[in-house]
Amino acid sequence: MEENLDNKLDNKMIPVVTLRDIVVFPGTTVYFEVGRESTIKAVSEAMNSDKMIFTVAQKDQHEENPGLEDVFEIGTLAEVKQIITLPDKVMRVVIVGIKRMKLKYVETVNDHLRGSLEEVQETGDTSYTLEVVAYVRGLKDLFKVYCDELGKINQQIYQEIMDCTDIERLIYMITSNIPVNYQLKQKILDEDDVMKRHEELSVILSREISIMRIQDDVATRVKRQVDENQKEYYLREQIKAIHKELGDEDEVSEADKYTEKLEKLKAPKRVKKKISEEIRRFRLTNSNSSENAVIRGYIETLLSIPWKKKSKDNTDILHAQEILDEDHYGLKKVKERVLECLAVKTLKEDGQSPIICLVGPPGTGKTSIAKSVARALDRKYVRICLGGVRDEAEIRGHRRTYVGAMPGRIIAGLKRAKEKNPLILLDEIDKIGTDSKGDPSAALLEVLDPEQNKHFSDHYVEIPVDLSHVMFMCTANTLDTIPRPLLDRMEVIELSGYTEPEKFHIAKEHLIEKQITANGLTKSQLTISDKAIHIIIQNYTREAGVRNLERQIAKVCRKAAMEVAKDNDCKVRVSERNIKKFLGMERYENNMANEHSDVGIVRGLAWTSVGGETLEIEVNIMDGTGKLELTGKLGDVMQESAKIALSYVRSVLSDKIDSEYFNKHDIHLHVPEGAVPKDGPSAGITMATALYSALTGKKVRADVAMTGEITLRGRILPIGGLKEKLIAAKIAGIKLVTVPEKNKKDVAEIENEVKEGIDIKFVTSAEDVWKYAIER
């Protein structure tokens, strides 16, 4: 037959049928449907001649008009046995594969493909040897296992395969009847060596068997899970029916709501497991029991904590700077630190957030700058006021065993923010108290430690909460009452009081506009002159911050609102001439420098909680018994400074004044404004100078002020609050100020507008001061 076939093929172009997803093998019968016009013509042409066609698989099954490069090189010569014409121009074809052939050339003739074929040499020994018999049996065994796993195969085909003894035909029959990718089948057809074909088919069958076993395992697990879910569903429905009979239907529906929320919750596995356990307990408890309410509150708390929900920081430094400058005037150090933090976040997203503590007098913008920082970073803002907090449970929460237990303020803040990375402001951290219920500041040690707060433990929640993404800011008026371990965990930025120019800018750029809007006015209805603003600052307020300044501006706006309410066309202008009409008589007068130099009267500088102040110290000497009288409500430290100053002055004047003089005279040192308590060592040099002047009769310059602690040997030691003191000296009209030499670095950091107009002299001893202060 092969000789007759070869004669038929000699120099003859055979119709070519290109197939999608189908590979025809010799000795196998294949059924397929064709719809392409070119394929139908090729099959029809074969039926009209010798019924021979060449079938070859396409490389790309989507190609509509394939050429030689679009089909595989090896195909199968086949004989068309039957064609059936179906509706919609579709033809069903039955063919029998005859022989592997190689497609050499293809051309289009009468709208269908014809090709020139070439013989393909088979290699490998297929004679009936023991080795071949072993291969045949092994392949049949493998196919049997495959059929057992598959579970569905035509029994007639199965029996034909099992009865086959020819290895080549066995390979073709098995490959043709297993549902694998056509490219794998083509690979077997392309192989010339029969034994390699056997090897390829064995690998494919083994892999398919493994895949089916894995699928069976997965299906078994899924079925088991479905069965468990159905069982659980059935039991839950029973529980619902029972609860309905008992009148507890709402509790069941509430538990279902919690379950739905749990499925949507983004949280660690341990958290979800804990909530799931609590929901299970909640279902089993009676709605009238106290435990039911405790479990409900606990579940709701855990569901409302933002375990993984996080907002994205706005790391645009220019945008942040613009917002900070827009909301606040000055506060340079705070703004710089926030911008540095942003720069680090830009370069390293998981960088630790700083823990900043802002320390300064009331009204200097500590709380409001935190709100601006949150706005600049696009973070939620949470304020927690710690003033007067005495119970550790306020920070860590109460244990659930207590009636009315609830989480601490930190967890409550996270719940309000609904994000795990808000900015939390711990306001008035210096006013935390302690009592028998514990020390809240000790609980804050864990909160404010970046190495520990990744696993913050709240007594109520019981599950560690990650606070490492939270940016903490704290505010305080003084560092004295903050425990040292807590202070060590914070980066302290000191905010000094505002200077008069700063207050002027704040009032003009922020406060006036804010109060005009708050009182229902417009900018055209009320204007306040610059001189009027200066008068309000100097004569109606006395503070380091701007709270009272805002109150006075609000008072002006209310008065203006009354005028506008009476006459809508009224335009109110506030100037230095009519300011008393709005604010009444001036409340404060600046303690200006004396016009003339005097004996025993010296101007000192003091720091108060509302800013700097000039302090006039007076000394009188009179006949007596050698007593030192100190008046003016002086504290212990200040009284000691006065005694040190007197001892030093006596030692300096021992060669000029007889010792009997001090036994026969009393010395009275007074600090005016006797109702105001005064303390601190910084007036030491001022008292020494007043005593020296009174004892020697030499006048002290009226335009000189001084500050510094004095020792028994006359050395001048450094002091604090220098900026506020210099501001007070400037307001009082002082021309020269003596400052301890060791405060030189502090003076360098003070703005030039504060130092302008004041001659600052650095001194190391009392004699240096007297060179500048005592008139010669």
Side-chain angles (χ1 to χ4, degrees):
M1 180 179 175
E2 287 191 8
E3 290 180 5
N4 294 334
L5 187 62
D6 292 339
N7 291 333
K8 287 183 181 181
L9 296 176
D10 284 342
N11 302 317
K12 185 176 180 182
M13 300 292 283
I14 301 296
V16 176
V17 174
T18 58
L19 299 174
R20 296 168 172 161
D21 293 341
I22 298 174
V23 178
V24 179
F25 291 93
T28 62
T29 301
V30 180
Y31 302 79
F32 60 88
E33 292 178 357
V34 294
R36 280 189 292 201
E37 189 175 342
S38 59
T39 307
I40 293 172
K41 284 187 178 181
V43 174
S44 300
E45 183 70 25
M47 284 297 290
N48 293 332
S49 57
D50 57 4
K51 297 185 180 181
M52 305 301 292
I53 62 172
F54 181 71
T55 60
V56 64
Q58 292 181 198
K59 293 177 181 177
D60 182 2
Q61 58 182 322
H62 301 294
E63 181 62 49
E64 286 295 328
N65 299 300
L68 184 63
E69 68 280 359
D70 299 317
V71 297
F72 290 100
E73 193 176 37
I74 304 297
T76 302
L77 184 67
E79 181 180 359
V80 180
K81 292 294 184 181
Q82 184 183 14
I83 60 172
I84 301 171
T85 304
L86 301 175
D88 299 326
K89 297 181 180 181
V90 175
M91 180 182 286
R92 181 173 294 160
V93 184
V94 181
I95 64 172
V96 177
I98 297 173
K99 189 176 183 180
R100 291 170 66 244
M101 301 287 282
K102 183 177 181 181
L103 184 62
K104 290 168 52 182
Y105 171 73
V106 68
E107 65 180 10
T108 303
V109 178
N110 296 330
D111 297 330
H112 70 275
L113 295 177
R114 283 180 170 271
S116 173
L117 307 181
E118 183 182 79
E119 286 275 349
V120 179
Q121 287 297 118
E122 300 281 351
T123 60
D125 183 12
T126 59
S127 59
Y128 202 69
T129 62
L130 288 176
E131 186 180 3
V132 171
V133 170
Y135 281 148
V136 169
R137 288 184 182 177
L139 194 55
K140 285 182 180 180
D141 290 342
L142 202 55
F143 182 67
K144 186 177 184 302
V145 174
Y146 172 81
C147 291
D148 291 341
E149 291 292 338
L150 186 63
K152 52 180 181 179
I153 191 166
N154 189 301
Q155 286 300 313
Q156 185 180 346
I157 294 173
Y158 176 77
Q159 198 58 49
E160 279 184 33
I161 291 172
M162 287 299 158
D163 293 342
C164 181
T165 56
D166 181 66
I167 188 168
E168 187 174 1
R169 186 162 181 270
L170 181 65
I171 290 169
Y172 290 150
M173 289 179 71
I174 292 175
T175 308
S176 181
N177 285 285
I178 59 175
V180 295
N181 188 280
Y182 75 98
Q183 291 184 342
L184 294 174
K185 294 183 178 183
Q186 182 66 39
K187 192 174 180 183
I188 291 175
L189 186 65
D190 287 344
E191 183 57 60
D192 295 334
D193 191 308
V194 177
M195 294 309 158
K196 286 188 178 177
R197 272 186 231 151
H198 171 274
E199 188 179 327
E200 287 282 352
L201 180 56
S202 299
V203 169
I204 291 171
L205 285 174
S206 298
R207 193 187 69 224
E208 290 298 313
I209 290 167
S210 299
I211 290 171
M212 285 190 287
R213 284 174 176 169
I214 291 170
Q215 286 176 329
D216 287 344
D217 289 343
V218 172
T220 304
R221 287 200 300 271
V222 170
K223 185 176 183 302
R224 192 185 304 121
Q225 185 68 40
V226 169
D227 290 344
E228 286 177 2
N229 290 341
Q230 286 178 339
K231 178 184 175 183
E232 186 177 347
Y233 174 76
Y234 176 71
L235 292 173
R236 287 194 189 286
E237 289 300 315
Q238 283 190 322
I239 291 171
K240 280 184 183 179
I242 294 167
H243 278 285
K244 189 174 182 180
E245 290 298 321
L246 294 172
D248 295 341
E249 191 175 1
D250 291 343
E251 301 303 320
V252 178
S253 61
E254 202 168 352
D256 292 337
K257 288 178 185 176
Y258 292 149
T259 304
E260 287 177 16
K261 287 182 180 179
L262 176 60
E263 289 172 358
K264 297 176 184 176
L265 182 68
K266 293 181 179 178
K269 287 183 180 178
R270 68 178 190 278
V271 176
K272 288 196 169 189
K273 183 181 178 184
K274 180 70 174 175
I275 298 174
S276 181
E277 290 172 357
E278 293 298 323
I279 293 174
R280 196 174 296 114
R281 285 181 61 206
F282 179 73
R283 288 182 189 276
L284 300 175
T285 55
N286 191 302
S287 60
N288 296 322
S289 68
S290 59
E291 187 183 6
N292 183 275
V294 172
I295 297 172
R296 181 194 289 111
Y298 185 58
I299 293 171
E300 289 176 354
T301 298
L302 293 185
L303 288 172
S304 61
I305 293 174
W307 298 98
K308 287 188 176 180
K309 189 178 178 184
K310 183 180 176 183
S311 64
K312 188 175 181 181
D313 285 344
N314 186 339
T315 53
D316 186 344
I317 295 177
L318 295 177
H319 167 76
Q321 189 165 13
E322 185 180 330
I323 286 178
L324 294 173
D325 290 339
E326 177 186 318
D327 291 351
H328 292 82
Y329 183 87
L331 304 180
K332 184 179 176 183
K333 285 185 180 179
V334 186
K335 292 176 182 178
E336 277 184 3
R337 185 64 188 89
V338 172
L339 294 176
E340 287 168 7
C341 169
L342 267 182
V344 173
K345 285 277 184 187
T346 306
L347 301 175
K348 192 172 187 288
E349 286 189 13
D350 58 345
Q352 289 181 347
S353 297
I355 297 170
I356 298 171
C357 182
L358 307 176
V359 182
T364 49
K366 299 184 295 298
T367 304
S368 58
I369 190 70
K371 196 179 290 186
S372 294
V373 170
R375 190 160 77 92
L377 294 173
D378 280 349
R379 290 194 182 196
K380 292 288 181 67
Y381 169 75
V382 177
R383 176 177 171 268
I384 299 174
C385 185
L386 298 177
V389 172
R390 293 177 171 273
D391 189 353
E392 181 200 359
E394 292 279 347
I395 307 298
R396 283 196 181 277
H398 302 81
R399 298 194 184 278
R400 282 195 290 153
T401 51
Y402 296 106
V403 176
M406 60 179 65
R409 295 196 182 191
I410 303 297
I411 298 299
L414 284 180
K415 286 171 59 181
R416 289 204 306 275
K418 297 180 181 178
E419 291 173 358
K420 67 181 288 188
N421 63 332
L423 184 148
I424 294 183
L425 176 70
L426 301 176
D427 212 4
E428 310 293 356
I429 199 170
D430 58 324
K431 296 173 182 64
I432 294 178
T434 57
D435 63 7
S436 58
K437 295 179 181 178
D439 184 359
S441 62
L444 283 173
L445 293 177
E446 183 183 2
V447 175
L448 299 180
D449 190 338
E451 299 300 323
Q452 298 180 42
N453 64 12
K454 290 179 183 177
H455 307 286
F456 171 68
S457 177
D458 184 278
H459 291 155
Y460 182 83
V461 175
E462 294 179 352
I463 305 171
V465 180
D466 185 4
L467 299 180
S468 61
H469 298 279
V470 178
M471 182 175 183
F472 288 101
M473 291 185 76
C474 311
T475 69
N477 296 124
T478 177
L479 298 176
D480 298 340
T481 55
I482 302 177
R484 301 312 299 177
L486 184 59
L487 193 61
D488 185 56
R489 282 162 168 77
M490 301 185 289
E491 182 177 339
V492 177
I493 299 178
E494 294 192 7
L495 304 181
S496 55
Y498 291 118
T499 63
E500 187 177 323
E502 286 174 337
K503 288 182 181 179
F504 173 78
H505 285 294
I506 292 168
K508 193 173 177 70
E509 297 171 15
H510 299 281
L511 302 183
I512 293 176
E513 184 177 343
K514 178 182 173 183
Q515 289 303 322
I516 285 176
T517 304
N519 288 279
L521 298 168
T522 62
K523 289 182 180 179
S524 61
Q525 291 173 327
L526 173 65
T527 55
I528 303 177
S529 70
D530 292 352
K531 287 187 178 178
I533 297 172
H534 281 295
I535 290 173
I536 295 172
I537 294 169
Q538 293 171 0
N539 300 329
Y540 290 92
T541 63
R542 186 58 52 90
E543 59 180 344
V546 290
R547 282 204 183 114
N548 280 328
L549 176 59
E550 185 173 5
R551 290 191 190 103
Q552 296 302 324
I553 292 171
K555 189 175 179 181
V556 171
C557 291
R558 289 195 298 272
K559 299 273 188 184
M562 283 183 62
E563 300 289 335
V564 173
K566 293 175 184 176
D567 181 4
N568 287 334
D569 297 327
C570 179
K571 307 284 185 186
V572 179
R573 175 175 170 77
V574 180
S575 65
E576 71 275 15
R577 296 177 183 174
N578 64 352
I579 187 69
K580 291 181 181 178
K581 174 185 172 184
F582 294 89
L583 297 179
M585 297 302 295
E586 295 174 351
R587 296 178 59 189
Y588 301 101
E589 287 185 6
N590 290 324
N591 195 5
M592 302 301 292
N594 296 333
E595 294 182 4
H596 305 290
S597 302
D598 209 337
V599 174
I601 298 178
V602 182
R603 183 77 61 169
L605 299 174
W607 180 90
T608 69
S609 60
V610 295
E613 188 64 80
T614 59
L615 209 63
E616 196 172 66
I617 293 179
E618 303 172 341
V619 174
N620 271 349
I621 297 176
M622 62 214 82
D623 293 338
T625 58
K627 292 189 300 182
L628 174 63
E629 190 75 33
L630 301 174
T631 57
K633 209 170 184 181
L634 309 184
D636 292 341
V637 176
M638 202 164 182
Q639 290 184 33
E640 288 176 0
S641 294
K643 294 171 183 175
I644 291 168
L646 178 60
S647 297
Y648 171 69
V649 171
R650 286 184 63 176
S651 67
V652 169
L653 297 177
S654 59
D655 57 339
K656 296 180 181 178
I657 298 177
D658 187 59
S659 59
E660 284 299 313
Y661 178 85
F662 293 101
N663 294 329
K664 296 178 181 179
H665 292 82
D666 289 343
I667 299 176
H668 187 168
L669 187 149
H670 175 66
V671 183
E673 297 186 26
V676 180
K678 310 168 190 73
D679 206 356
S682 63
I685 182 59
T686 312
M687 292 187 283
T689 304
L691 290 167
Y692 180 85
S693 170
L695 290 169
T696 59
K698 294 180 180 180
K699 292 183 178 180
V700 179
R701 287 174 54 184
D703 59 351
V704 173
M706 57 195 69
T707 182
E709 179 181 352
I710 193 169
T711 68
L712 272 174
R713 299 301 176 94
R715 288 184 296 113
I716 308 300
L717 302 183
I719 42 79
L722 195 56
K723 179 181 176 181
E724 289 81 357
K725 292 177 179 179
L726 290 177
I727 292 170
K730 188 171 184 177
I731 292 172
I734 300 296
K735 302 297 182 185
L736 187 147
V737 176
T738 64
V739 174
E741 177 72 31
K742 291 185 178 178
N743 282 113
K744 202 169 190 175
K745 60 183 183 300
D746 300 315
V747 173
E749 292 182 358
I750 296 173
E751 297 86 349
N752 289 329
E753 65 179 2
V754 175
K755 297 182 283 187
E756 189 178 352
I758 299 177
D759 185 10
I760 299 174
K761 301 294 184 182
F762 296 102
V763 295
T764 56
S765 65
E767 292 182 352
D768 293 340
V769 175
W770 296 341
K771 287 178 185 176
Y772 299 115
I774 303 296
E775 287 189 347
R776 302 298 176 187

